[in-house]
Amino acid sequence: MDVLTDNLDDFAAGLWVTTRLVGAAFLVAVVLGTLVAALRVSESRPLRSVGGLYVETFRNVPLLVLLFITFPGLRRGGVDINAWTAGIIALGLYTSAYVAEVLRSGVAAVSQGQREAGLSLGFGQVAVLRRIVLPQAFRTVIGPLGSITIAMIKNSAIVGASIVALDDILKEARVVNSATFQTTEAFFWAAVCYLLLTLTATAAFRGLEARYAIRR
Amino acid sequence: MGYLFDPDNWEWVVTENNLGFLLEAFLINLQIAVIAMVLALAVGLVLALGAIARPAPVRLAAKAWVDVFRNIPLILLILYLALSQPQSVRDFWSDSAPGFLPDALRSEFILAGIGGLVLYNSAVLAEVFRAGILSLARGQREAAAALGLSYLQQMRHVVLPQGLRRMVPATVSQLITLNKDTTLVSIIAIQEVVRSGRVLAGTAGNPFTGSGVAAPILHVMIFVGLLFVIANYALSRLSRRLETRESRRIATVRTAPRVSEAPPA
């Protein structure tokens, strides 16, 4: 217990860093994921293949490799990117592929008649997707989006553990560990911090689901 | 963009044995993945059976175990195991690891790496299996029980073959995740492909000592990423193949004339 109370500031700071990292990356992932899902359900074959290529690439690349590309990789190439941006982009890109896949299945679950009705009312393709199909698709995939978010909270530890200079929960645990040599306690409290985040996310998505979900 | 496509920056690929060095290291990732997969599948199955077992203590213990290890970041598990493993475990492995293993698999941290991968993935797979088993109609098991099969026989001959088959897609996608996660052991200094890539680029802590071209890390990592995309894409293709074959097989059974299956009156 001492390990926690003596280093409360460190753990709290780490928790806050992880929260911000996950929050920002979640936004990136949802925006990109929605765009890619739109590509994947479009009428045009080339656009569909571009979307497919995107998903297959970012779903199959290890996050650690992406992080090495976005941080030291781009910096060596003369791009002035900071640790935060690199971490958020890598985690966001990685997760966006999963979001795109989930949303695509959500779009498939919206009945074809909805789309046709929209088109016959004079909406364009994009407007139908944006105003009619996607809002319903989002509401069917709240559950899976929750699992993706939880996976993302856990994956955020990879960002802190690799070279990106972000002092997230895991990084703080390592700092506490090297200061106190209480390995088990330091990592136990770090695990509790992650659990706090995942449980909060679970509760939040349960709430959203109860309020907005369309059950099919 | 110029930097990315500049042929000078890709020169390391053909310099000396750099390519072989990376591919050999990628083989280590695949080996770690296979070992961890086999163990995680086995442990996951045991945990899943535990989570649906009749005795309440077994069930609760299995569920609690699964929930704990499923919710901890894998990298935290691996780091913890590596940092906390006693000297005796390290010595045991460096003394008794069979000589035919590659250096990376004789590393004193490999047990922590594989142990973490197995702990985490077996918990996730246990949930997948449990869902598959529970998705089976109760009647299947009751029918098996009515036929006089014991609990183990019911599981082995009736419940598991059907339940697990349904879960092939979810299992394969978890195995793909596991394959990607083998890169995490680079953080505990096991020489797999990410670490080898960093050695080529001279960012692995030690200065670049090779006589060839120091590789730009951007290009090395893009290449490493490509290796994973190819391997994992092949794996997901394979699973889709299995799925279509399976559904075709089931479809034939369903549409086959029932008369021939009817027992003689």
Side-chain angles (χ1 to χ4, degrees):
Chain A
M1 211 57 193
D2 284 353
V3 176
L4 178 68
T5 46
D6 291 351
N7 301 286
L8 206 54
D9 290 352
D10 291 331
F11 281 113
L15 196 61
W16 179 228
V17 167
T18 297
T19 310
R20 280 186 296 166
L21 177 65
V22 169
F26 183 76
L27 287 181
V28 172
V30 169
V31 170
L32 284 178
T34 309
L35 291 177
V36 173
L39 288 181
R40 294 212 75 187
V41 298
S42 83
E43 300 282 307
S44 118
R45 209 190 156 82
L47 285 186
R48 275 209 306 274
S49 351
V50 170
L53 192 68
Y54 180 97
V55 169
E56 291 300 343
T57 307
F58 286 108
R59 212 169 41 157
N60 289 330
V61 166
L63 177 56
L64 192 61
V65 171
L66 271 184
L67 283 161
F68 277 111
I69 291 175
T70 56
F71 194 54
L74 289 181
R75 283 185 80 86
R76 284 285 181 86
V79 180
D80 188 21
I81 192 168
N82 70 27
W84 271 97
T85 321
I88 289 167
I89 289 180
L91 189 56
L93 281 175
Y94 181 79
T95 312
S96 68
Y98 291 90
V99 173
E101 273 303 272
V102 159
L103 266 185
R104 188 173 68 119
S105 72
V107 168
V110 175
S111 86
Q112 193 61 27
Q114 296 276 339
R115 192 173 185 152
E116 285 161 6
L119 288 175
S120 73
L121 284 172
F123 286 104
Q125 289 284 356
V126 175
V128 166
L129 202 59
R130 194 166 76 86
R131 294 183 184 276
I132 298 167
V133 178
L134 276 179
Q136 298 186 64
F138 265 112
R139 293 174 59 181
T140 41
V141 297
I142 294 174
L145 275 183
S147 332
I148 289 178
T149 309
I150 286 163
M152 196 159 122
I153 293 170
K154 290 187 285 177
N155 284 333
S156 74
I158 301 176
V159 180
S162 68
I163 32 71
V164 178
L166 289 178
D167 295 331
D168 72 339
I169 299 171
L170 185 57
K171 187 73 71 55
E172 295 291 357
R174 291 168 84 179
V175 170
V176 170
N177 172 46
S178 49
T180 63
F181 297 107
Q182 305 282 324
T183 311
T184 303
E185 282 82 353
F187 280 82
F188 174 79
W189 291 115
V192 170
C193 288
Y194 280 107
L195 213 57
L196 220 60
L197 287 180
T198 51
L199 290 180
T200 313
T202 310
F205 275 91
R206 284 247 173 84
L208 283 176
E209 218 173 349
R211 180 132 168 59
Y212 295 109
I214 306 172
R215 309 215 175 270
R216 288 173 202 277
Chain B
M1 275 296 157
Y3 174 76
L4 179 57
F5 293 114
D6 188 347
D8 286 352
N9 288 329
W10 288 103
E11 207 186 316
W12 60 271
V13 177
V14 289
T15 307
E16 299 196 0
N17 190 27
N18 284 355
L19 188 61
F21 180 65
L22 268 193
L23 290 179
E24 242 168 65
F26 186 55
L27 219 55
I28 297 288
N29 284 74
L30 296 182
Q31 284 165 0
I32 294 177
V34 170
I35 296 170
M37 268 178 206
V38 172
L39 292 175
L41 286 169
V43 178
L45 188 57
V46 171
L47 286 174
L49 288 177
I52 58 163
R54 253 165 297 173
V58 175
R59 202 169 57 224
L60 292 179
K63 276 188 178 165
W65 177 275
V66 166
D67 277 341
V68 166
F69 286 104
R70 211 165 55 114
N71 284 309
I72 296 178
L74 171 56
I75 181 67
L76 189 150
L77 268 179
I78 291 179
L79 266 176
Y80 171 67
L81 290 177
L83 288 172
S84 70
Q85 73 177 354
Q87 192 62 40
S88 56
V89 174
R90 294 188 196 185
D91 291 343
F92 161 76
W93 188 247
S94 34
D95 292 346
S96 63
F100 63 83
L101 289 178
D103 283 349
L105 294 185
R106 277 184 296 173
S107 150
E108 55 182 9
F109 289 120
I110 195 72
L111 292 183
I114 291 181
L117 284 167
V118 172
L119 273 179
Y120 178 78
N121 285 288
S122 61
V124 176
L125 287 172
E127 272 302 285
V128 170
F129 294 159
R130 194 175 71 100
I133 293 169
L134 291 184
S135 76
L136 264 193
R138 264 186 90 84
Q140 291 285 339
R141 194 154 136 200
E142 286 166 357
L147 286 172
L149 300 186
S150 72
Y151 181 80
L152 285 181
Q153 285 171 329
Q154 292 166 30
M155 283 295 156
R156 192 168 121 49
H157 296 293
V158 179
V159 175
L160 290 183
Q162 300 184 73
L164 297 190
R165 205 167 280 156
R166 285 185 193 191
M167 287 295 129
V168 167
T171 307
V172 172
S173 81
Q174 187 55 35
L175 295 183
I176 289 176
T177 306
L178 193 162
N179 198 18
K180 290 187 288 186
D181 285 345
T182 56
T183 54
L184 297 183
V185 302
S186 69
I187 288 172
I188 53 171
I190 291 169
Q191 186 86 25
E192 45 65 81
V193 71
V194 167
R195 197 151 190 99
S196 294
R198 295 179 64 194
V199 168
L200 280 189
T203 65
N206 49 328
F208 181 72
T209 49
S211 51
V213 188
I217 187 150
L218 177 67
H219 301 68
V220 176
M221 287 301 162
I222 288 176
F223 182 78
V224 171
L226 205 61
L227 292 178
F228 276 97
V229 170
I230 294 168
N232 288 334
Y233 185 70
L235 201 56
S236 65
R237 259 289 130 104
L238 189 74
S239 108
R240 234 169 286 166
R241 256 259 190 64
L242 279 177
E243 250 174 90
T244 44
R245 212 183 60 184
E246 200 57 47
S247 60
R248 213 176 293 145
R249 204 181 67 94
I250 291 171
T252 10
V253 171
R254 284 219 183 101
T255 51
R258 288 279 164 188
V259 193
S260 59
E261 289 173 25

